[in-house]
Structure formats: structure tokens, C-alpha cells
Amino acid sequence: RFGTMEDMERLIAEARKRNMYILMDLVVNHCSDEHEWFQKACQEPEGRYGNFFYLRDKKEGELPTNWRSYFGGSVWEDLPATDKQYLHVFHKKQPDLNWENERVRQAVFDMMDWWCQKGIDGFRMDVISMISKDPAYPDGVLKETGFGDYGPYVYNGPRVHEYLQEMNQKVLSRYDLLTVGECAGVTVEEAKRYAALDGRELNMVFQFEHMDLDGGETFKWNDRKIDLTALKQTLSKWQTQLHKKAWNSLYWCNHDQPRILSRLGNDSDAYREISAKMLATCLHMMQGTPYIYQGEELGMTNVPFSSLQDFRDIESINAYHEYVESGRISGEDMMRYLRCKSRDNARTPMQWTDRENAGFTEGTPWIMVNPNYPKINAEEQLSRKDSVFHYYQKLIRLRKEHEIIVYGSYTLLLPMDPALYVYTRELNGEKLLVICNFSDQAKDFSLPDGFTLQKLKKLIGNYERPTAEASFMLRPYEAVVFLQASE
């Protein structure tokens, strides 16, 4: 479906010529129900491959646990033509692999080693914090869905760090790799173990606390905005508590999140590019490794989906049926929530040009193209020096030129201000002042103590601002960064 192995080998080789590196998505919490391992488990559940999965005997009217699948319904599904049931924390086509089985672990490590020998440069590890389950399988706290919460018994399980250290010893430590774990349910304390600077497990983790701040009683399905004071508190916690202990990942967007520009910025014609640059500035001046999701660097936005038929994401489709058919949310409200929060907002085709299908394909794309592609596309962005794309290039260049951005300590200022995100970085006598206005209103600002007007140099900003002033007006969605040299 994605090409031949020769295509892959050419991609690796051509990337290497351009000083680029290929990270692969590693999905080993589960596999497909079409995978040969699962097919063999169906044929012989008591055999070798049956133990590659979590199989339990069927009991009339009773499930092994009350856990709800991430996509709705029970996590337990009948194993075809047998008296067994299998565990799937996600979709029923994604049976969970039994990491308690040493043969599973070795098969995974052999596969990873095979790809490393091919020349790939690292792994993004899908839901890696979920590979160790609580062997007691306790029932979870009942939710309004009628099912229990699996989280406490699946996230950061009893042997997860043991498994990752084994992976590190047998594969990761033998190559020059970058590893990042998608760690659902991770806490700062757990992250210090996953991504400790001693290198025993992973290089860094993705956490989701800042992505869950606009959740409501029905979890993600609402049209609330992320509260800035809560966002500052959360991001600052990760900045300060991991400092010199573990390494941060920095992101606003990925394939599981709506577009940050529509979610936290302002996607109107007046402020789309200004707020996109502000959001990029706020993130790129923090400590950690920034991740840019495709189209984020162009200022791509959420999509005006008009009907349920426009969606492809099973989470969105199932949620619509679950909440609307139960009467908990009206169809009109749920469609509005999907337009705000659906993962499909980030999954429409990349907008390359203003030509048909945004230059993505001459065929029929698998999902609709965002209709704003004639004005938001890579070709147009590359043609302008003041574009969002070129602003991202400047931010990346600054990170390579100034060690303070990479290694400096972090201090949050104005923690309770509902509109301004202001923080400092310090290293070897140098100071960095980062000021971001998250509102569409002008805001007064005065230089904080410790910064001297005559010593400040502007590093970057999304408006014209020649020099610093003791007090000045921040324009809507303005971002500006000043550097104060050491004495």
C-alpha cells in the first residue's frame, strides 16, 4: 500500500544525502487482526500464538473485566470459532499483544533490529506506556457509558520499565537512535523514568496533560477553549520538573489532535498567520525537542465538515452514534464538537498547491481536502518571505544558534494573567524573555525586574518592533523574544 522495500531503501538513502533522518512509527502494544500471529492464534488458541495475545475463556453473560474500549464497547471480543475472548484496548481489529510472553518481546526486538539494520534512525513508539497490564485485571470505576475505566490498570503498568530497559539493552543501545514514547497517562514522575538522562529507556516522551485541558464532562467532545492559566501551569510544571532530570517533547499538534491554530489561536483571515507564528514562538523557545506536525508550518486549520459522512475517524464516528443515539448530546451540538475536536481535522491531505486536491493527488483522496487550500498551501508559503513557513525556519535556526534556548532554566512570569504567556530562560548569565499575547486584544506590558533596556536584543517577533521599551503595547496575538547578554 505504501510502496516497495526498494522505495523505502531509496527514501533512507536520499534522506541521508540531505542530512535528514527517518524515524519509524513503532506500534507494538497491539497488532492487526489480519496479522499472521493473530490468524494463527484463531486457528490454535492453545498453541504458541494464542499466548501472543490476552485470551480468556468465555463465560455466559460475564466479561473478564468491565473495561470500556477506547473506541466504545467492551475491550473483550469473541475470538472467531473458539470459546475464547481476546483483549483489545482500542478497536476490535487491534488485538493487544501479550508482553508477558518473552517470545512476543523477542519477536518485537528482532523486528526493530531488522529496521535498524536497514538504516532507520529511531522510533516514535505508539502508546508504549500501555504494554504492561495489571495481571489481576481489576474492574475499573464505572462511567456513564456503563463500562469501567481501564486507565489505572493499563497505563504505566507494573513491568513497563522492565520491558523498555530490556528493549534498550537488546536493540536501542546498539544503534545511534532517537526514541520518543507516546505515553498515555504519563505523569511527570513517570516521565523521569521513561526519559531519564541516563539513557536506560527512551530519549523523551509525549505527554497529554496540556492536550486534555479543554476536556469536559463528556471528555473531549465540547467546543471549549483551553484556559491559558491552566495551560501555563501545566507546561511550566513539565519545564521545571524535568529540568536536568529528563528530556521534554514539545508539541501542539499530531495526528490525534485538531489543528492548534483553530483550537488555541485564531484562524480568521485577520489573525491566522499572526497567531500561528505566536503559537510557534511560545513552543520553540521552551526546553525540549519541538515537533512540527505536517501543515502546522503552513498555518493549516480545522476543516468545515458538514456531515457525518465527511468523517473517516472511527473515534469520531463512534462517538457521534454513542452520544447522539443515547440522547446525551444533540446531533447539531455533536457535529459542532466534531468540527472542533475530531482527529480528522489533522488528517486531511497536505496542502501543497492551489491546484486540484491541493496538489496531493490526481485521484480521489481518501478524505475531503480542506476547502481553504487555494490560499493556504506550501507553494504560496514558500513564495513569501513573511510567511508562517519562513518564520518556522527562523525559529529552528535560533535554536541552533543559541544554547540558552536548548539548555537554559525556565521561569514562568505572570502566572495568573488570562491573556499573556510570559517566561524567561537563563544560562551562564544570559537571559531570554519570551512574551506571547494569546488574545485578540491589545495588552500593556512592562519589562520585568532583571532586564535592562539598553542590553536587550530582539531575537524574533511576529510584528515589526525595532527595539525594546520599558513599557509597550502588545498587539493582538503578538509574540516577541528578547535576549539579554551576560555581564
Side-chain angles (χ1 to χ4, degrees):
R1 185 181 293 184
F2 297 110
T4 65
M5 187 55 66
E6 290 74 20
D7 293 331
M8 185 68 192
E9 290 166 350
R10 182 182 171 212
L11 173 65
I12 294 169
E14 292 295 329
R16 188 74 87 245
K17 290 178 186 176
R18 292 159 175 80
N19 198 29
M20 296 170 68
Y21 302 88
I22 305 294
L23 268 65
M24 291 196 74
D25 194 15
L26 183 76
V27 185
V28 288
N29 173 73
H30 48 269
C31 68
S32 169
D33 66 347
E34 298 173 36
H35 193 286
E36 64 173 329
W37 294 349
F38 191 74
Q39 292 299 308
K40 289 178 179 178
C42 292
Q43 294 162 14
E44 193 178 355
E46 302 293 348
R48 170 174 178 168
Y49 289 97
N51 198 34
F52 270 45
F53 303 91
Y54 297 97
L55 303 186
R56 295 292 181 270
D57 292 332
K58 271 196 283 191
K59 295 181 181 178
E60 190 67 35
E62 186 180 337
L63 293 169
T65 68
N66 68 357
W67 300 348
R68 178 189 186 272
S69 159
Y70 186 84
F71 295 126
S74 173
V75 299
W76 297 98
E77 184 74 16
D78 290 351
L79 191 70
T82 73
D83 60 354
K84 304 284 187 182
Q85 293 178 312
Y86 67 91
L87 176 74
H88 61 92
V89 170
F90 294 99
H91 192 266
K92 66 181 181 180
K93 288 186 68 65
Q94 297 170 301
D96 283 53
L97 289 167
N98 176 17
W99 275 69
E100 296 279 336
N101 183 347
E102 185 178 357
R103 285 178 170 175
V104 169
R105 302 199 300 276
Q106 193 57 53
V108 168
F109 301 156
D110 289 345
M111 175 267 291
M112 294 172 66
D113 190 79
W114 189 89
W115 279 108
C116 290
Q117 290 184 42
K118 278 285 181 186
I120 64 106
D121 302 290
F123 298 99
R124 173 263 182 196
M125 301 183 183
D126 189 72
V127 294
I128 202 68
S129 59
M130 299 170 70
I131 58 175
S132 172
K133 277 71 172 176
D134 185 334
Y137 291 94
D139 279 344
V141 175
L142 278 176
K143 301 291 186 180
E144 59 180 9
T145 59
F147 289 97
D149 177 17
Y150 64 67
Y153 316 112
V154 172
Y155 297 147
N156 311 306
R159 298 183 67 187
V160 65
H161 296 289
E162 173 193 337
Y163 295 155
L164 290 179
Q165 287 169 28
E166 183 183 4
M167 178 192 290
N168 189 295
Q169 292 162 8
K170 293 186 175 179
V171 185
L172 305 180
S173 61
R174 300 181 181 184
Y175 299 91
D176 183 14
L177 303 173
L178 185 152
T179 55
V180 55
E182 182 195 30
C183 291
V186 73
T187 63
V188 169
E189 291 307 313
E190 284 288 345
K192 291 175 185 176
R193 300 178 68 188
Y194 285 115
L197 299 181
D198 64 14
R200 295 173 67 205
E201 296 185 20
L202 307 176
N203 295 135
M204 60 192 104
V205 301
F206 289 127
Q207 59 89 13
F208 296 93
E209 286 188 5
H210 64 308
M211 291 289 100
D212 294 338
L213 291 173
D214 51 7
E217 291 181 4
T218 53
F219 183 46
K220 68 188 285 182
W221 303 115
N222 59 74
D223 54 2
R224 290 172 50 189
K225 284 284 189 182
I226 293 174
D227 176 74
L228 184 64
T229 55
L231 178 69
K232 291 189 289 188
Q233 181 182 11
T234 299
L235 291 180
S236 298
K237 175 180 70 176
W238 285 85
Q239 285 288 296
T240 57
Q241 294 189 24
L242 292 194
H243 185 60
K244 295 187 177 180
K245 295 183 177 68
W247 196 247
N248 256 306
S249 294
L250 307 172
Y251 76 95
W252 288 130
C253 296
N254 63 34
H255 66 294
D256 285 332
Q257 304 295 336
R259 294 284 178 180
I260 196 64
L261 184 51
S262 300
R263 187 179 189 180
L264 191 56
N266 186 323
D267 59 13
S268 69
D269 288 344
Y271 293 122
R272 181 178 64 82
E273 293 210 340
I274 288 289
S275 65
K277 293 174 183 178
M278 181 275 292
L279 291 166
T281 306
C282 187
L283 199 72
H284 277 70
M285 292 297 114
M286 292 184 186
Q287 185 173 56
T289 297
Y291 289 78
I292 305 168
Y293 180 71
Q294 58 96 357
E296 191 176 353
E297 77 282 16
L298 309 181
M300 282 177 62
T301 67
N302 275 1
V303 183
F305 297 111
S306 59
S307 72
L308 191 63
Q309 285 65 47
D310 290 335
F311 292 90
R312 299 291 179 269
D313 172 31
I314 192 167
E315 180 192 26
S316 301
I317 295 167
N318 284 1
Y320 182 91
H321 289 300
E322 181 177 352
Y323 289 110
V324 173
E325 291 171 9
S326 68
R328 281 179 293 195
I329 301 176
S330 72
E332 181 182 359
D333 284 344
M334 194 63 193
M335 278 302 302
R336 190 171 74 254
Y337 299 158
L338 291 177
R339 282 191 288 268
C340 285
K341 296 288 184 66
S342 172
R343 304 188 299 180
D344 275 342
N345 282 297
R347 299 179 178 192
T348 55
M350 178 69 171
Q351 293 164 212
W352 294 107
T353 71
D354 63 0
R355 293 180 285 282
E356 185 179 6
N357 292 326
F360 181 79
T361 181
E362 294 177 355
T364 302
W366 75 290
I367 191 172
M368 67 179 283
V369 180
N370 193 321
N372 63 16
Y373 74 86
K375 65 179 179 181
I376 304 174
N377 59 74
E379 190 173 61
E380 192 280 332
Q381 287 282 305
L382 287 168
S383 71
R384 282 190 293 115
K385 290 184 178 180
D386 65 344
S387 68
V388 177
F389 177 85
H390 285 114
Y391 192 87
Y392 266 91
Q393 284 190 319
K394 293 175 186 174
L395 288 169
I396 294 166
R397 191 176 302 121
L398 286 172
R399 291 186 64 88
K400 295 180 182 297
E401 292 172 349
H402 297 276
E403 282 198 343
I404 188 173
I405 303 175
V406 181
Y407 299 112
S409 62
Y410 168 103
T411 302
L412 177 67
L413 305 181
L414 307 178
M416 301 311 296
D417 192 298
L420 302 184
Y421 196 151
V422 183
Y423 62 89
T424 64
R425 306 287 305 282
E426 293 189 47
L427 183 72
N428 298 330
E430 278 192 323
K431 291 184 179 182
L432 199 70
L433 177 62
V434 183
I435 312 160
C436 298
N437 182 4
F438 274 70
S439 79
D440 60 0
Q441 302 296 311
K443 299 291 179 182
D444 290 319
F445 182 80
S446 298
L447 286 180
D449 293 340
F451 286 89
T452 305
L453 195 58
Q454 293 74 20
K455 296 180 181 178
L456 288 186
K457 170 190 173 185
K458 178 187 169 185
L459 282 191
I460 194 169
N462 60 352
Y463 281 89
E464 286 297 319
R465 183 177 292 283
T467 58
E469 301 170 80
S471 296
F472 53 91
M473 185 76 74
L474 285 165
R475 287 155 283 193
Y477 301 105
E478 181 167 7
V480 61
V481 181
F482 296 110
L483 177 66
Q484 181 168 290
S486 57
E487 294 295 338

